[in-house]
Each structure stands twice: as C-alpha cells, then as structure tokens.
Amino acid sequence: MRINKRLPLWQEITVVLLIKMALLFAIWKCFFSEPVAKHMLVPQPMMSERFLGTASSPLPK
C-alpha cells in the first residue's frame, strides 16, 4: 500500500511563492532599503547629464 505524502498542486505553488516572496524581501531589506551615505548629494545638472546624455562639451572627432 502506497501513501501519498505530497501536497496538492495549489498548496505546493503557494508554499513556493511564499518562500520566494520572503527571500526577495530579505534581499531587498539587506541591500536596497536604505542608501549607504545619506549625506552625499549629487547636483541636479550632473545627474541630468549622466542620465540624459547631454554633454556639456562637444565630443572630439
């Protein structure tokens, strides 16, 4: 006689999703929850130049 010890599929999926959510939350909390240096500020023109790619001087050919 064989006893089926597996969970139903919907319960297995729920358990796996809960474990994944817990791991993602732990990773977020460890690495992304707060900036390392709160006192450091980047000037707005420098940030715009970096993200938008607007160079203040023409590129040499």
Side-chain angles (χ1 to χ4, degrees):
M1 179 185 239
R2 184 174 171 187
I3 299 173
N4 189 5
K5 293 185 179 181
R6 293 187 62 183
L7 293 173
L9 183 60
W10 69 271
Q11 285 181 342
E12 283 187 37
I13 291 172
T14 303
V15 168
V16 169
L17 287 175
L18 289 173
I19 291 170
K20 284 184 175 185
M21 287 174 46
L23 288 172
L24 285 173
F25 179 74
I27 290 170
W28 174 76
K29 198 69 171 157
C30 289
F31 296 108
F32 301 108
S33 62
E34 294 181 14
V36 176
K38 294 180 182 178
H39 64 278
M40 293 178 63
L41 295 175
V42 179
Q44 183 64 32
M46 185 184 290
M47 203 178 331
S48 298
E49 183 178 326
R50 269 296 194 204
F51 286 123
L52 301 176
T54 55
S56 57
S57 61
L59 296 173
K61 291 184 180 181

